[in-house]
């Protein structure tokens, strides 16, 4: 990394210690959690269904915490602050509103998964079941592309800031971060990543509260909302923002801020609707609570960029002209700001080396929790969409878990190399986030239409619209960049207006073409896809006559233990169970509660529950759209209102209270809803300690005994 983008106040050893030391701690934590789960509950990570989908039983509080953790990228902390520093008070709200809207919209997808594709592991599987192998390949490509770009946003952004603050080699950071995270993901699978997400989120909120209390209450330099306001007024006079009303940091009327919001809207559609990590959480949640989890997750996540960037992004602008600022008397350079160093600079100005260390810890928590979700997501695509689909349809659960582990390691290495290449050509986090929608935006709306508009979405539209959207996006991006900026380079292509042209062309083109082609070519063709697997994905149970099952089974009640006893075993060399292509065959495993999906049918969500959940999701989305995206920001934008001292104080109070609300949802709620499971584990450990035994869990433990799971 160029010296012009460094703010080194810590020794390189500190950076290595954060990355390797804390990463190793979480790897050991995951091993401990996995041991306790396998020993004291009825869930075993040795089974593919549990490793990749957490047996579809994770509760809404932990799902909400996982959503917040996986959507709290390094960009959530760094880029939201960058845009607060660049565009003023509107930046944090635009960032929070556009990101939250995607999470809330995805609640509708979560409902449709539970209602129409309850047996799916991945979103390309759903596309394949409806539209065949060509469509499957199209969305599998877009899924991998999204995971690669999202992973780069996480790892590259984190690595560049770690290198800037500590002097750690940026290429070493690019390799160490994904590999360290891969170690603890392999140790625990999806359920343990939910628990890791929870641990990360606790640390995340502690750090955010420290920075918030320092800047609003205890700092000698700022220390109060009134002093904060004075410093922002001074900053508006000394370094006014071009394109903002009167150059002020305290107005929503920001031309580039609005353009950035549009870029973020398209990028948000792409990074949520095409990111397997989000589908994974919808799949892993309980049907009756999946919508609740996404609604509360969205509300909680909003508080993080809104509260953190208001404090640290605007704080960077306020502190620029103070002697404690790391680049004083100069402001941050464009390169430093683009690398996401506004909030680290504010942390250094507030707390010196301690602030830099806390910022690194906060950043590492954000990067590793999000990266863990991406690793599991990519391993699921490799396992179920390549290995299970095209290489070995009858793979055993053990083989599927082994492929998942290989996929995690493979993705970690490829991602590290990709980030090194991006760093070598001077690409930074802000550039990646700004142009991400150009690359994959064309597929984001069509993949949603596959589930939300199933009666009309045609196979031709599903296949062609993403590629046409991508082509239109690239043309619009390059032509606009060339005409407006005179040349195409990393710097000019990352301009928010140039990127907006490509983002809108890709996203809008994909959406419009999908609708047009669906009416022009209304064909639906999933020929070439095994009908048995399609039925499993869609949750269609086999006829009772074919199953030879009991009346209980034919009525739709799933009984894995009973089914396992009644169905014939399918033998495989070495005595392992092989998965069957027939939906009526339910193969017993070592733990019937986690009979993985390849060998049984998961029933669709109750239709009445679907209607209620859909009404709730649509109502909440419309309410949020009306208030948070239209009425509040555009009222401020249209009026050209510049915040007064009293209005700014109120704004700060609201933002900080929202952070507290987010903490209750993500930290307190999961503990409360899992209290029985935690008590069961504690009792099991206590019994073992007293008896000195280390034997296997008994049938009395876990869910079989009516106890809840974490």
């Amino acid at each position: 990394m160029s010296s012009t983008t460094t703010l080194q106040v810590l020794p390189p050893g500190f950076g290595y210690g954060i990355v390797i030391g804390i990463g190793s701690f979480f790897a050991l934590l995951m091993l401990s959690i996995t041991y306790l789960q396998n020993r004291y509950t009825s869930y075993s990570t040795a089974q593919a269904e549990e490793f990749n989908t957490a047996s579809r039983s994770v509760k809404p509080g932990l799902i909400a915490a996982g959503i917040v953790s996986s959507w709290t990228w390094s960009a959530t902390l760094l880029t939201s602050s960058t845009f607060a520093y660049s565009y003023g008070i509107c930046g944090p709200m635009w960032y929070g509103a556009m990101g939250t809207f995607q999470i809330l919209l995805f609640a509708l997808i979560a409902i449709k998964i539970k209602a129409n594709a309850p047996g799916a592991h991945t979103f390309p599987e759903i596309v394949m079941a409806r539209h065949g192998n060509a469509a499957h390949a199209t969305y599998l490509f877009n899924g991998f592309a999204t995971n690669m770009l999202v992973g780069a946003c996480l790892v590259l952004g984190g690595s560049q800031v770690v290198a800037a603050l500590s002097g750690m080699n940026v290429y070493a950071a690019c390799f160490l971060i994904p590999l360290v995270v891969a170690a603890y993901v392999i140790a625990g699978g999806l359920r343990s990543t939910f628990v890791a997400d929870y641990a990360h989120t606790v640390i995340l909120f502690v750090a955010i509260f420290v920075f918030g209390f320092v800047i609003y209450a205890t700092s000698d330099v700022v220390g109060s909302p009134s002093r904060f306001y004075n410093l922002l007024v001074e900053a508006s006079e000394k370094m006014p923002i071009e394109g903002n009303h009167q150059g002020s940091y305290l107005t929503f009327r920001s031309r580039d801020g609005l353009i950035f919001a549009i870029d973020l809207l398209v990028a948000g559609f792409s990074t949520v609707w095409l990111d397997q990590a989000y589908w994974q959480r919808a799949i892993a949640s309980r049907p009756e609570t999946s919508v609740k989890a996404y609604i509360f997750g969205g509300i909680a996540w909003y508080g993080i960029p809104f509260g953190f960037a208001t404090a640290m992004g605007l704080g960077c602008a306020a502190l620029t002209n103070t002697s404690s600022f790391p680049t004083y008397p100069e402001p941050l350079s464009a390169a430093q700001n683009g690398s996401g160093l506004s909030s680290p600079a504010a942390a250094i100005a507030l707390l010196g080396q301690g602030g830099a260390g806390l910022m690194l810890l906060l950043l590492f928590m954000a990067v590793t929790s999000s990266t863990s979700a991406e690793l599991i997501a990519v391993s699921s695509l490799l396992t179920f969409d390549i290995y299970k689909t095209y290489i070995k349809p009858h793979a055993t659960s053990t083989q599927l878990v082994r492929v998942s582990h290989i996929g995690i390691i493979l993705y970690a290495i490829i991602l590290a190399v990709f980030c090194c290449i991006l760093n070598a050509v001077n690409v930074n986090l802000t550039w990646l986030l700004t142009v991400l929608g150009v690359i994959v935006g064309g597929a984001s709306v069509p993949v949603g239409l596959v589930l939300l508009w199933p009666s009309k979405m045609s196979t031709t539209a599903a296949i062609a619209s993403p590629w046409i959207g991508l082509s239109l996006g690239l043309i619009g991006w390059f032509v606009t960049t060339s005409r407006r900026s005179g040349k195409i380079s990393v710097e000019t292509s990352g301009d928010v207006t140039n990127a907006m042209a490509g983002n809108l062309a890709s996203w809008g083109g994909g959406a419009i073409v999908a609708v047009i082609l669906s009416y022009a070519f209304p064909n639906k063709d999933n020929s070439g896809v095994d009908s048995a697997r399609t039925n499993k994905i869609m949750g269609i149970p086999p006829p009772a006559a074919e199953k030879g099952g009991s009346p209980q089974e034919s009525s739709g009640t799933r009984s894995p233990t009973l089914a396992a006893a009644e169905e014939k075993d399918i033998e495989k060399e070495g005595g392992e169970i092989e998965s069957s292509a027939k939906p009526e065959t339910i193969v017993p495993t070592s733990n019937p509660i986690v009979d993985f999906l390849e060998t049984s049918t998961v029933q669709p969500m109750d239709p009445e529950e679907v209607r209620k959940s859909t009404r709730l999701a649509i109502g909440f989305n419309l309410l949020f759209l009306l208030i948070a995206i239209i009425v509040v920001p555009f009222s401020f934008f249209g009026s050209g209102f510049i915040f007064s001292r009293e209005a700014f104080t109120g704004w700060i109070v609201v933002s900080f209270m929202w952070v507290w609300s987010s903490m209750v949802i993500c930290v307190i709620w999961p503990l409360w809803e899992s209290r029985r499971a935690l008590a069961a584990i504690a009792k099991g450990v206590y019994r073992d300690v007293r008896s000195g035994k280390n034997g296997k869990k008994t049938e009395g433990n876990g869910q079989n005994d009516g106890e809840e799971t974490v």
Side-chain angles (χ1 to χ4, degrees):
M1 180 178 289
S2 167
S3 61
T4 60
T5 59
T6 61
L7 296 174
Q8 185 177 349
V9 294
L10 298 168
F14 193 95
Y16 284 101
I18 288 281
V19 172
I20 299 174
I22 296 181
S24 300
F25 166 76
F26 272 98
L28 292 173
L29 177 64
M30 288 305 95
L31 287 170
S32 302
I33 291 169
T34 301
Y35 171 78
L36 292 172
Q37 172 187 326
N38 291 343
R39 172 161 170 70
Y40 297 108
T41 76
S42 56
Y43 292 91
S44 168
T45 55
Q47 299 295 332
E49 177 77 355
E50 169 65 14
F51 186 86
N52 288 290
T53 67
S55 299
R56 307 166 195 273
S57 64
V58 181
K59 295 182 183 175
L62 201 55
I63 291 282
I67 290 167
V68 169
S69 183
S70 64
W71 198 212
T72 303
W73 306 352
S74 49
T76 306
L77 305 172
L78 300 177
T79 308
S80 62
S81 298
T82 293
F83 285 112
Y85 180 77
S86 302
Y87 308 126
I89 199 170
C90 67
M93 185 173 185
W94 278 132
Y95 196 103
M98 293 306 180
T100 298
F101 190 46
Q102 309 310 318
I103 297 173
L104 296 178
L105 280 174
F106 199 81
L108 291 169
I109 295 288
I111 297 168
K112 294 301 181 181
I113 293 172
K114 294 300 182 184
N116 300 329
H121 298 90
T122 68
F123 75 88
E125 272 190 333
I126 300 173
V127 175
M128 179 183 68
R130 292 181 180 275
H131 298 292
N133 290 327
H136 177 250
T138 295
Y139 290 91
L140 185 58
F141 166 81
N142 280 280
F144 280 130
T146 300
N147 287 126
M148 191 59 66
L149 290 168
V150 169
C153 285
L154 302 171
V155 174
L156 181 64
S159 298
Q160 288 180 339
V161 172
V162 170
L165 295 182
S166 70
M168 178 183 181
N169 185 282
V170 67
Y171 296 103
C174 285
F175 269 92
L176 286 172
I177 289 174
L179 289 174
V180 164
V181 178
Y184 76 70
V185 170
I186 287 174
L190 184 60
R191 188 182 299 273
S192 286
T193 65
F194 280 120
V195 180
D197 286 345
Y198 177 79
H200 288 152
T201 304
V202 171
I203 298 171
L204 189 77
F205 278 112
V206 169
I208 291 174
F209 283 134
V210 168
F211 285 128
F213 280 117
V214 167
I215 197 165
Y216 295 141
T218 65
S219 168
D220 294 334
V221 183
V222 185
S224 71
S226 181
R227 175 63 178 153
F228 197 178
Y229 180 82
N230 291 339
L231 290 171
L232 285 175
V233 170
E234 182 184 341
S236 300
E237 295 169 355
K238 293 186 176 180
M239 45 182 198
I241 302 173
E242 184 182 353
N244 275 28
H245 181 53
Q246 297 183 14
S248 176
Y249 280 89
L250 296 164
T251 181
F252 261 77
R253 182 176 284 181
S254 170
R255 181 195 63 216
D256 288 345
L258 182 59
I259 293 172
F260 151 70
I262 296 170
D263 284 337
L264 194 63
L265 177 68
V266 178
F269 262 103
S270 307
T271 53
V272 173
W273 290 47
L274 288 168
D275 188 344
Q276 171 60 22
Y278 290 90
W279 294 76
Q280 204 103 342
R281 278 164 168 73
I283 289 166
S285 63
R286 291 181 170 182
E288 68 274 15
T289 56
S290 57
V291 173
K292 184 194 297 185
Y294 276 87
I295 289 175
F296 277 100
I299 293 171
W301 182 83
Y302 184 93
I304 294 177
F306 180 40
F308 181 80
T310 297
M312 302 302 285
L314 291 179
C316 182
L319 292 163
T320 297
N321 296 307
T322 62
S323 58
S324 60
F325 196 72
T327 63
Y328 180 80
E330 299 296 324
L332 292 179
S333 68
Q336 289 169 329
N337 191 35
S339 294
L341 296 180
S342 55
S343 51
I348 294 169
L350 288 170
L351 296 170
Q353 284 191 334
L358 184 59
M359 191 68 209
L360 279 188
L361 178 62
L362 174 64
L363 187 62
F364 187 75
M365 293 297 100
V367 171
T368 53
S369 60
S370 304
T371 304
S372 69
E374 297 303 311
L375 288 167
I376 281 276
V378 172
S379 78
S380 295
L381 294 176
L382 289 169
T383 301
F384 293 105
D385 289 284
I386 294 181
Y387 185 75
K388 174 73 175 171
T389 300
Y390 300 112
I391 298 174
K392 196 163 186 179
H394 297 277
T396 67
S397 186
T398 302
Q399 289 172 331
L400 293 175
V401 171
R402 188 182 304 123
V403 172
S404 289
H405 290 170
I406 294 171
I408 287 168
I409 296 169
L410 184 64
Y411 173 63
I413 294 171
I414 293 174
L415 178 61
V417 172
F418 183 54
C419 290
C420 289
I421 293 171
L422 293 176
N423 186 77
V425 297
N426 294 319
V427 166
N428 60 36
L429 172 62
T430 303
W431 187 94
L432 276 173
L433 190 65
T434 303
V435 307
L436 190 151
V438 179
I439 311 301
V440 292
S444 58
V445 174
V447 76
L449 294 179
V450 169
L451 273 175
L452 299 176
W453 200 42
S455 61
K456 297 292 185 183
M457 186 67 171
S458 72
T459 298
T460 300
I463 295 170
S465 54
W467 301 114
I468 294 173
L470 172 60
S471 302
L472 293 174
L474 291 174
I475 292 169
W477 182 31
F478 290 143
V479 169
T480 303
T481 300
S482 178
R483 296 294 299 272
R484 286 189 73 250
S485 304
K487 64 176 182 177
I488 298 175
S489 65
V490 170
E491 182 181 356
T492 59
S493 61
D495 176 83
V496 289
T497 304
N498 296 342
M500 181 182 70
N503 278 319
L504 287 178
S506 180
W507 179 71
I512 293 168
V513 169
V515 174
I516 292 173
L517 290 181
S518 290
Y519 284 108
F521 305 97
N523 63 308
K524 292 189 177 71
D525 181 15
N526 68 348
S527 58
V529 180
D530 179 59
S531 60
R533 186 171 183 194
T534 297
N535 288 343
K536 291 178 190 177
I537 291 169
M538 297 305 173
I540 301 173
E546 292 181 22
K547 287 173 70 176
S550 69
Q552 285 177 309
E553 289 173 277
S554 61
S555 70
T557 302
R558 185 184 178 198
S559 175
T561 310
L562 181 60
E566 293 180 346
E567 296 294 339
K568 291 172 65 176
D569 292 354
I570 297 175
E571 295 181 5
K572 177 196 169 285
E573 350 172 3
E576 269 198 73
I577 301 303
E578 185 178 276
S579 62
S580 170
K582 296 181 181 179
E584 65 270 19
T585 304
I586 301 180
V587 179
T589 66
S590 60
N591 188 331
I593 297 299
V594 291
D595 263 324
F596 59 101
L597 189 61
E598 290 71 43
T599 57
S600 57
T601 301
V602 176
Q603 298 299 320
M605 191 174 172
D606 177 69
E608 182 58 32
E609 190 66 35
V610 170
R611 284 189 289 273
K612 288 181 182 177
S613 298
T614 301
R615 285 196 296 268
L616 175 63
I618 291 175
F620 208 91
N621 272 281
L622 290 176
L623 184 66
F624 185 85
L625 174 67
L626 181 66
I627 295 175
I629 296 180
I630 297 175
V631 173
V632 173
F634 280 102
S635 294
F636 286 136
F637 186 95
S639 66
F641 177 71
I642 295 177
F643 278 68
S644 64
R645 189 184 307 275
E646 292 75 16
F648 180 69
T649 301
W651 191 262
I652 284 176
V653 170
V654 169
S655 71
F656 206 47
M657 286 177 63
W658 207 305
V659 177
W660 277 98
S661 301
S662 301
M663 185 275 295
V664 171
I665 292 172
C666 296
V667 177
I668 307 299
W669 187 21
L671 285 178
W672 174 254
E673 68 181 3
S674 296
R675 62 194 182 281
R676 292 188 182 91
L678 294 171
I681 291 174
K683 287 176 185 175
V685 173
Y686 177 71
R687 281 196 301 267
D688 276 1
V689 170
R690 284 199 62 186
S691 63
K693 292 179 181 177
N694 192 30
K696 294 182 179 178
K697 62 188 174 190
T698 64
E699 290 184 5
N701 289 329
Q703 201 174 12
N704 288 339
D705 203 28
E707 292 175 351
E708 297 184 17
T709 57
V710 177

